[in-house]
mmCIF file of all heavy atoms in Angstrom:
data_model
loop_
_atom_site.group_PDB
_atom_site.id
_atom_site.type_symbol
_atom_site.label_atom_id
_atom_site.label_comp_id
_atom_site.label_asym_id
_atom_site.label_seq_id
_atom_site.Cartn_x
_atom_site.Cartn_y
_atom_site.Cartn_z
ATOM 1 N N SER V 1 68.394 15.238 28.479
ATOM 2 C CA SER V 1 68.508 13.855 27.953
ATOM 3 C C SER V 1 67.444 13.588 26.934
ATOM 4 O O SER V 1 67.723 12.981 25.872
ATOM 5 C CB SER V 1 68.448 12.872 29.038
ATOM 6 O OG SER V 1 69.707 12.944 29.743
ATOM 7 N N MET V 2 66.242 14.001 27.188
ATOM 8 C CA MET V 2 65.113 13.785 26.346
ATOM 9 C C MET V 2 65.347 14.637 24.871
ATOM 10 O O MET V 2 65.100 14.198 23.691
ATOM 11 C CB MET V 2 63.812 14.217 26.868
ATOM 12 C CG MET V 2 63.263 13.252 27.832
ATOM 13 S SD MET V 2 61.689 13.583 28.517
ATOM 14 C CE MET V 2 61.543 15.284 28.603
ATOM 15 N N ILE V 3 65.844 15.924 25.028
ATOM 16 C CA ILE V 3 66.162 16.753 23.940
ATOM 17 C C ILE V 3 67.282 16.136 23.089
ATOM 18 O O ILE V 3 67.219 16.004 21.824
ATOM 19 C CB ILE V 3 66.592 18.081 24.361
ATOM 20 C CG1 ILE V 3 65.329 18.878 24.946
ATOM 21 C CG2 ILE V 3 67.154 18.873 23.175
ATOM 22 C CD1 ILE V 3 65.775 20.098 25.645
ATOM 23 N N ALA V 4 68.311 15.551 23.642
ATOM 24 C CA ALA V 4 69.472 14.967 22.977
ATOM 25 C C ALA V 4 69.020 13.680 22.200
ATOM 26 O O ALA V 4 69.196 13.538 21.051
ATOM 27 C CB ALA V 4 70.468 14.610 24.047
ATOM 28 N N ALA V 5 68.182 12.919 22.952
ATOM 29 C CA ALA V 5 67.600 11.650 22.206
ATOM 30 C C ALA V 5 66.645 12.077 21.084
ATOM 31 O O ALA V 5 66.792 11.324 20.013
ATOM 32 C CB ALA V 5 66.840 10.865 23.307
ATOM 33 N N SER V 6 65.900 13.059 21.170
ATOM 34 C CA SER V 6 64.979 13.432 20.089
ATOM 35 C C SER V 6 65.805 13.918 18.845
ATOM 36 O O SER V 6 65.265 13.958 17.756
ATOM 37 C CB SER V 6 63.906 14.513 20.541
ATOM 38 O OG SER V 6 64.502 15.708 20.790
ATOM 39 N N LEU V 7 67.016 14.417 19.192
ATOM 40 C CA LEU V 7 67.851 14.842 17.998
ATOM 41 C C LEU V 7 68.831 13.950 17.515
ATOM 42 O O LEU V 7 69.837 14.203 16.780
ATOM 43 C CB LEU V 7 68.520 16.291 18.523
ATOM 44 C CG LEU V 7 67.657 17.442 18.692
ATOM 45 C CD1 LEU V 7 68.409 18.663 19.241
ATOM 46 C CD2 LEU V 7 67.028 17.846 17.254
ATOM 47 N N GLY V 8 68.552 12.574 18.059
ATOM 48 C CA GLY V 8 69.409 11.563 17.595
ATOM 49 C C GLY V 8 70.759 11.332 18.352
ATOM 50 O O GLY V 8 71.678 10.623 17.895
ATOM 51 N N HIS V 9 70.945 11.995 19.449
ATOM 52 C CA HIS V 9 72.114 11.877 20.201
ATOM 53 C C HIS V 9 71.942 11.076 21.561
ATOM 54 O O HIS V 9 71.735 11.656 22.589
ATOM 55 C CB HIS V 9 72.748 13.355 20.608
ATOM 56 C CG HIS V 9 73.314 13.914 19.431
ATOM 57 N ND1 HIS V 9 74.628 14.408 19.444
ATOM 58 C CD2 HIS V 9 72.749 14.416 18.321
ATOM 59 C CE1 HIS V 9 74.842 14.954 18.282
ATOM 60 N NE2 HIS V 9 73.878 14.981 17.649
ATOM 61 N N GLN V 10 71.706 9.806 21.384
ATOM 62 C CA GLN V 10 71.285 9.001 22.547
ATOM 63 C C GLN V 10 72.287 9.157 23.668
ATOM 64 O O GLN V 10 71.950 9.181 24.809
ATOM 65 C CB GLN V 10 71.158 7.516 22.149
ATOM 66 C CG GLN V 10 70.180 7.281 21.077
ATOM 67 C CD GLN V 10 68.759 7.703 21.489
ATOM 68 O OE1 GLN V 10 68.529 7.664 22.668
ATOM 69 N NE2 GLN V 10 68.014 7.971 20.475
ATOM 70 N N ALA V 11 73.616 9.160 23.451
ATOM 71 C CA ALA V 11 74.502 9.195 24.537
ATOM 72 C C ALA V 11 75.151 10.572 24.557
ATOM 73 O O ALA V 11 76.104 10.739 25.592
ATOM 74 C CB ALA V 11 75.645 8.151 24.198
ATOM 75 N N GLY V 12 74.755 11.510 23.847
ATOM 76 C CA GLY V 12 75.335 12.791 23.908
ATOM 77 C C GLY V 12 74.672 13.771 24.657
ATOM 78 O O GLY V 12 73.596 13.452 25.191
ATOM 79 N N SER V 13 75.157 14.977 24.746
ATOM 80 C CA SER V 13 74.565 16.016 25.487
ATOM 81 C C SER V 13 73.529 16.786 24.552
ATOM 82 O O SER V 13 73.759 16.994 23.310
ATOM 83 C CB SER V 13 75.617 17.074 26.026
ATOM 84 O OG SER V 13 76.195 17.820 24.921
ATOM 85 N N ALA V 14 72.610 17.439 25.284
ATOM 86 C CA ALA V 14 71.531 18.211 24.368
ATOM 87 C C ALA V 14 72.394 19.444 23.761
ATOM 88 O O ALA V 14 72.044 19.774 22.586
ATOM 89 C CB ALA V 14 70.481 18.710 25.329
ATOM 90 N N SER V 15 73.242 19.967 24.500
ATOM 91 C CA SER V 15 74.040 21.188 24.046
ATOM 92 C C SER V 15 74.769 20.885 22.717
ATOM 93 O O SER V 15 74.821 21.514 21.709
ATOM 94 C CB SER V 15 74.819 21.867 24.980
ATOM 95 O OG SER V 15 75.794 21.004 25.365
ATOM 96 N N ALA V 16 75.345 19.801 22.763
ATOM 97 C CA ALA V 16 76.113 19.250 21.426
ATOM 98 C C ALA V 16 75.104 18.882 20.373
ATOM 99 O O ALA V 16 75.475 19.141 19.242
ATOM 100 C CB ALA V 16 76.911 18.026 21.869
ATOM 101 N N ALA V 17 73.974 18.401 20.719
ATOM 102 C CA ALA V 17 73.027 17.995 19.678
ATOM 103 C C ALA V 17 72.504 19.187 18.941
ATOM 104 O O ALA V 17 72.381 19.274 17.936
ATOM 105 C CB ALA V 17 71.764 17.169 20.412
ATOM 106 N N VAL V 18 72.150 20.276 19.827
ATOM 107 C CA VAL V 18 71.830 21.505 19.135
ATOM 108 C C VAL V 18 72.841 22.177 18.459
ATOM 109 O O VAL V 18 72.454 22.729 17.344
ATOM 110 C CB VAL V 18 71.104 22.447 20.319
ATOM 111 C CG1 VAL V 18 70.790 23.885 19.832
ATOM 112 C CG2 VAL V 18 69.889 21.823 20.942
ATOM 113 N N ALA V 19 74.102 22.262 18.996
ATOM 114 C CA ALA V 19 75.186 22.723 18.234
ATOM 115 C C ALA V 19 75.415 22.022 16.916
ATOM 116 O O ALA V 19 75.719 22.699 15.878
ATOM 117 C CB ALA V 19 76.526 22.607 19.074
ATOM 118 N N ASP V 20 75.201 20.751 16.916
ATOM 119 C CA ASP V 20 75.244 20.068 15.521
ATOM 120 C C ASP V 20 74.187 20.482 14.538
ATOM 121 O O ASP V 20 74.443 20.648 13.497
ATOM 122 C CB ASP V 20 75.231 18.576 15.806
ATOM 123 C CG ASP V 20 76.421 17.991 16.445
ATOM 124 O OD1 ASP V 20 77.499 18.616 16.537
ATOM 125 O OD2 ASP V 20 76.336 16.629 16.845
ATOM 126 N N LEU V 21 73.005 20.614 15.097
ATOM 127 C CA LEU V 21 71.882 21.095 14.327
ATOM 128 C C LEU V 21 72.231 22.443 13.718
ATOM 129 O O LEU V 21 71.997 22.735 12.487
ATOM 130 C CB LEU V 21 70.557 21.101 15.044
ATOM 131 C CG LEU V 21 69.360 21.618 14.394
ATOM 132 C CD1 LEU V 21 69.041 20.854 13.198
ATOM 133 C CD2 LEU V 21 68.103 21.664 15.338
ATOM 134 N N VAL V 22 72.708 23.366 14.614
ATOM 135 C CA VAL V 22 73.005 24.797 14.125
ATOM 136 C C VAL V 22 74.078 24.649 12.932
ATOM 137 O O VAL V 22 73.928 25.292 11.968
ATOM 138 C CB VAL V 22 73.506 25.633 15.269
ATOM 139 C CG1 VAL V 22 74.176 26.895 14.804
ATOM 140 C CG2 VAL V 22 72.301 25.902 16.171
ATOM 141 N N ALA V 23 74.979 23.754 13.297
ATOM 142 C CA ALA V 23 76.085 23.651 12.110
ATOM 143 C C ALA V 23 75.527 23.061 10.861
ATOM 144 O O ALA V 23 75.831 23.547 9.818
ATOM 145 C CB ALA V 23 77.212 22.722 12.764
ATOM 146 N N GLU V 24 74.645 22.040 10.961
ATOM 147 C CA GLU V 24 73.884 21.578 9.756
ATOM 148 C C GLU V 24 73.194 22.444 8.975
ATOM 149 O O GLU V 24 73.108 22.493 7.750
ATOM 150 C CB GLU V 24 73.175 20.288 10.174
ATOM 151 C CG GLU V 24 73.948 19.063 10.631
ATOM 152 C CD GLU V 24 72.929 18.042 11.082
ATOM 153 O OE1 GLU V 24 71.755 18.034 10.868
ATOM 154 O OE2 GLU V 24 73.598 17.187 11.904
ATOM 155 N N LEU V 25 72.646 23.433 9.756
ATOM 156 C CA LEU V 25 71.743 24.432 9.051
ATOM 157 C C LEU V 25 72.645 25.637 8.532
ATOM 158 O O LEU V 25 72.110 26.512 7.868
ATOM 159 C CB LEU V 25 70.865 25.072 10.088
ATOM 160 C CG LEU V 25 69.701 24.016 10.622
ATOM 161 C CD1 LEU V 25 68.927 24.739 11.659
ATOM 162 C CD2 LEU V 25 68.853 23.758 9.465
ATOM 163 N N GLY V 26 73.898 25.598 8.727
ATOM 164 C CA GLY V 26 74.909 26.567 8.242
ATOM 165 C C GLY V 26 74.759 27.908 8.938
ATOM 166 O O GLY V 26 75.144 29.009 8.391
ATOM 167 N N LEU V 27 74.295 27.922 10.114
ATOM 168 C CA LEU V 27 74.078 29.155 11.026
ATOM 169 C C LEU V 27 75.373 29.472 11.724
ATOM 170 O O LEU V 27 76.071 28.528 11.896
ATOM 171 C CB LEU V 27 72.883 29.058 11.847
ATOM 172 C CG LEU V 27 71.596 28.850 11.239
ATOM 173 C CD1 LEU V 27 70.552 28.455 12.201
ATOM 174 C CD2 LEU V 27 71.094 30.006 10.334
ATOM 175 N N PRO V 28 75.526 30.724 12.170
ATOM 176 C CA PRO V 28 76.670 31.073 12.936
ATOM 177 C C PRO V 28 76.711 30.140 14.271
ATOM 178 O O PRO V 28 75.593 30.132 14.886
ATOM 179 C CB PRO V 28 76.441 32.410 13.219
ATOM 180 C CG PRO V 28 75.587 33.088 12.194
ATOM 181 C CD PRO V 28 74.678 31.846 11.885
ATOM 182 N N ARG V 29 77.812 29.715 14.709
ATOM 183 C CA ARG V 29 77.839 28.788 15.853
ATOM 184 C C ARG V 29 78.441 29.460 17.129
ATOM 185 O O ARG V 29 78.280 29.070 18.168
ATOM 186 C CB ARG V 29 78.662 27.607 15.469
ATOM 187 C CG ARG V 29 78.041 26.881 14.392
ATOM 188 C CD ARG V 29 78.791 25.684 13.901
ATOM 189 N NE ARG V 29 80.046 25.326 14.568
ATOM 190 C CZ ARG V 29 80.693 24.272 14.495
ATOM 191 N NH1 ARG V 29 80.287 23.306 13.702
ATOM 192 N NH2 ARG V 29 81.702 24.007 15.176
ATOM 193 N N THR V 30 79.129 30.624 16.898
ATOM 194 C CA THR V 30 79.866 31.260 18.100
ATOM 195 C C THR V 30 79.490 32.638 18.090
ATOM 196 O O THR V 30 79.091 33.254 16.989
ATOM 197 C CB THR V 30 81.379 31.001 18.134
ATOM 198 O OG1 THR V 30 81.859 31.788 16.998
ATOM 199 C CG2 THR V 30 81.765 29.642 17.926
ATOM 200 N N LEU V 31 79.702 33.361 19.106
ATOM 201 C CA LEU V 31 79.580 34.836 19.153
ATOM 202 C C LEU V 31 80.655 35.518 18.336
ATOM 203 O O LEU V 31 80.334 36.502 17.779
ATOM 204 C CB LEU V 31 79.690 35.314 20.676
ATOM 205 C CG LEU V 31 78.424 35.000 21.525
ATOM 206 C CD1 LEU V 31 78.757 35.452 22.909
ATOM 207 C CD2 LEU V 31 77.162 35.488 21.120
ATOM 208 N N ARG V 32 81.697 34.891 18.157
ATOM 209 C CA ARG V 32 82.794 35.303 17.406
ATOM 210 C C ARG V 32 82.260 35.416 15.948
ATOM 211 O O ARG V 32 82.486 36.382 15.133
ATOM 212 C CB ARG V 32 84.061 34.481 17.383
ATOM 213 C CG ARG V 32 84.911 34.603 18.595
ATOM 214 C CD ARG V 32 86.217 33.924 18.569
ATOM 215 N NE ARG V 32 85.775 32.366 18.409
ATOM 216 C CZ ARG V 32 85.901 31.512 19.211
ATOM 217 N NH1 ARG V 32 86.511 31.738 20.442
ATOM 218 N NH2 ARG V 32 85.515 30.260 19.013
ATOM 219 N N ASP V 33 81.521 34.396 15.543
ATOM 220 C CA ASP V 33 80.946 34.347 14.147
ATOM 221 C C ASP V 33 80.197 35.549 13.814
ATOM 222 O O ASP V 33 79.966 35.726 12.609
ATOM 223 C CB ASP V 33 80.254 32.962 13.905
ATOM 224 C CG ASP V 33 81.124 31.739 13.885
ATOM 225 O OD1 ASP V 33 82.271 31.926 13.866
ATOM 226 O OD2 ASP V 33 80.516 30.665 14.088
ATOM 227 N N VAL V 34 79.571 36.232 14.750
ATOM 228 C CA VAL V 34 78.606 37.367 14.540
ATOM 229 C C VAL V 34 79.249 38.673 15.025
ATOM 230 O O VAL V 34 78.577 39.536 15.182
ATOM 231 C CB VAL V 34 77.222 36.976 15.173
ATOM 232 C CG1 VAL V 34 76.592 35.917 14.445
ATOM 233 C CG2 VAL V 34 77.420 36.932 16.648
ATOM 234 N N GLY V 35 80.479 38.570 15.227
ATOM 235 C CA GLY V 35 81.342 39.818 15.500
ATOM 236 C C GLY V 35 81.159 40.341 16.929
ATOM 237 O O GLY V 35 81.546 41.489 17.211
ATOM 238 N N VAL V 36 80.767 39.458 17.871
ATOM 239 C CA VAL V 36 80.864 39.878 19.295
ATOM 240 C C VAL V 36 82.180 39.725 19.846
ATOM 241 O O VAL V 36 82.947 38.656 19.741
ATOM 242 C CB VAL V 36 79.799 39.187 20.076
ATOM 243 C CG1 VAL V 36 79.865 39.412 21.543
ATOM 244 C CG2 VAL V 36 78.397 39.324 19.601
ATOM 245 N N SER V 37 82.716 40.770 20.541
ATOM 246 C CA SER V 37 83.999 40.665 21.183
ATOM 247 C C SER V 37 83.770 40.339 22.676
ATOM 248 O O SER V 37 82.827 40.675 23.364
ATOM 249 C CB SER V 37 84.672 42.089 21.012
ATOM 250 O OG SER V 37 85.707 42.173 21.853
ATOM 251 N N ARG V 38 84.796 39.726 23.305
ATOM 252 C CA ARG V 38 84.883 39.605 24.811
ATOM 253 C C ARG V 38 84.751 40.937 25.539
ATOM 254 O O ARG V 38 84.151 40.828 26.561
ATOM 255 C CB ARG V 38 86.187 38.846 25.170
ATOM 256 C CG ARG V 38 86.061 37.355 24.897
ATOM 257 C CD ARG V 38 87.305 36.701 25.518
ATOM 258 N NE ARG V 38 87.135 35.179 25.593
ATOM 259 C CZ ARG V 38 88.047 34.440 25.226
ATOM 260 N NH1 ARG V 38 89.309 34.959 24.739
ATOM 261 N NH2 ARG V 38 87.958 33.095 25.298
ATOM 262 N N THR V 39 85.181 41.893 24.917
ATOM 263 C CA THR V 39 85.133 43.189 25.572
ATOM 264 C C THR V 39 83.584 43.669 25.717
ATOM 265 O O THR V 39 83.394 44.538 26.559
ATOM 266 C CB THR V 39 85.968 44.320 24.940
ATOM 267 O OG1 THR V 39 85.459 44.520 23.551
ATOM 268 C CG2 THR V 39 87.419 43.874 24.993
ATOM 269 N N ASP V 40 82.736 43.023 24.984
ATOM 270 C CA ASP V 40 81.349 43.418 24.949
ATOM 271 C C ASP V 40 80.575 42.588 25.999
ATOM 272 O O ASP V 40 79.488 42.968 26.427
ATOM 273 C CB ASP V 40 80.702 43.019 23.616
ATOM 274 C CG ASP V 40 81.259 43.777 22.545
ATOM 275 O OD1 ASP V 40 81.620 45.101 22.746
ATOM 276 O OD2 ASP V 40 81.338 43.417 21.386
ATOM 277 N N PHE V 41 81.232 41.662 26.623
ATOM 278 C CA PHE V 41 80.486 40.730 27.532
ATOM 279 C C PHE V 41 79.970 41.319 28.790
ATOM 280 O O PHE V 41 78.772 41.065 29.158
ATOM 281 C CB PHE V 41 81.334 39.497 27.991
ATOM 282 C CG PHE V 41 81.777 38.586 26.999
ATOM 283 C CD1 PHE V 41 81.327 38.555 25.722
ATOM 284 C CD2 PHE V 41 82.511 37.448 27.513
ATOM 285 C CE1 PHE V 41 81.670 37.570 24.830
ATOM 286 C CE2 PHE V 41 82.838 36.365 26.483
ATOM 287 C CZ PHE V 41 82.312 36.436 25.345
ATOM 288 N N ARG V 42 80.628 42.298 29.420
ATOM 289 C CA ARG V 42 80.077 42.943 30.569
ATOM 290 C C ARG V 42 78.864 43.723 30.246
ATOM 291 O O ARG V 42 77.795 43.644 30.857
ATOM 292 C CB ARG V 42 81.164 43.863 31.167
ATOM 293 C CG ARG V 42 80.715 44.723 32.487
ATOM 294 C CD ARG V 42 80.253 43.782 33.656
ATOM 295 N NE ARG V 42 81.272 43.160 34.326
ATOM 296 C CZ ARG V 42 81.266 42.723 35.558
ATOM 297 N NH1 ARG V 42 80.127 42.659 36.071
ATOM 298 N NH2 ARG V 42 82.252 42.008 36.086
ATOM 299 N N THR V 43 78.921 44.403 29.230
ATOM 300 C CA THR V 43 77.717 45.365 28.741
ATOM 301 C C THR V 43 76.570 44.320 28.461
ATOM 302 O O THR V 43 75.355 44.597 28.878
ATOM 303 C CB THR V 43 78.069 46.029 27.533
ATOM 304 O OG1 THR V 43 79.108 47.071 27.909
ATOM 305 C CG2 THR V 43 76.884 47.035 27.088
ATOM 306 N N ILE V 44 76.742 43.342 27.628
ATOM 307 C CA ILE V 44 75.716 42.414 27.378
ATOM 308 C C ILE V 44 75.010 41.836 28.608
ATOM 309 O O ILE V 44 73.922 41.735 28.782
ATOM 310 C CB ILE V 44 76.245 41.283 26.378
ATOM 311 C CG1 ILE V 44 76.473 42.016 25.051
ATOM 312 C CG2 ILE V 44 75.121 40.205 26.085
ATOM 313 C CD1 ILE V 44 77.410 41.033 24.136
ATOM 314 N N ALA V 45 75.982 41.346 29.564
ATOM 315 C CA ALA V 45 75.498 40.563 30.780
ATOM 316 C C ALA V 45 74.659 41.744 31.603
ATOM 317 O O ALA V 45 73.733 41.245 32.183
ATOM 318 C CB ALA V 45 76.624 40.107 31.438
ATOM 319 N N ARG V 46 75.165 42.727 31.659
ATOM 320 C CA ARG V 46 74.395 43.850 32.472
ATOM 321 C C ARG V 46 73.010 44.014 31.887
ATOM 322 O O ARG V 46 71.953 44.078 32.705
ATOM 323 C CB ARG V 46 75.094 45.185 32.530
ATOM 324 C CG ARG V 46 76.004 45.401 33.816
ATOM 325 C CD ARG V 46 76.559 46.605 34.013
ATOM 326 N NE ARG V 46 77.947 46.563 33.465
ATOM 327 C CZ ARG V 46 78.684 47.514 33.176
ATOM 328 N NH1 ARG V 46 78.260 48.701 33.001
ATOM 329 N NH2 ARG V 46 79.925 47.165 32.773
#
């Protein structure tokens, strides 16, 4: 909640506030955006 408020999202979630910041910076927002496939998840997780 403190993180969300510090990023101007009084009623929102911190994850949404950070996601908005990432988008504003023009950075990749999802794993798909950087070429990660779901088939890679098990290897990455391990």
Side-chain angles (χ1 to χ4, degrees):
S1 290
M2 290 187 323
I3 292 168
S6 69
L7 291 172
H9 287 244
Q10 301 300 334
S13 70
S15 62
V18 171
D20 288 349
L21 176 61
V22 169
E24 288 173 23
L25 293 171
L27 298 171
R29 297 177 4 165
T30 67
L31 291 175
R32 283 184 302 252
D33 292 344
V34 294
V36 175
S37 169
R38 278 188 168 133
T39 60
D40 298 325
F41 285 6
R42 178 60 74 165
T43 301
I44 294 168
R46 264 189 255 156

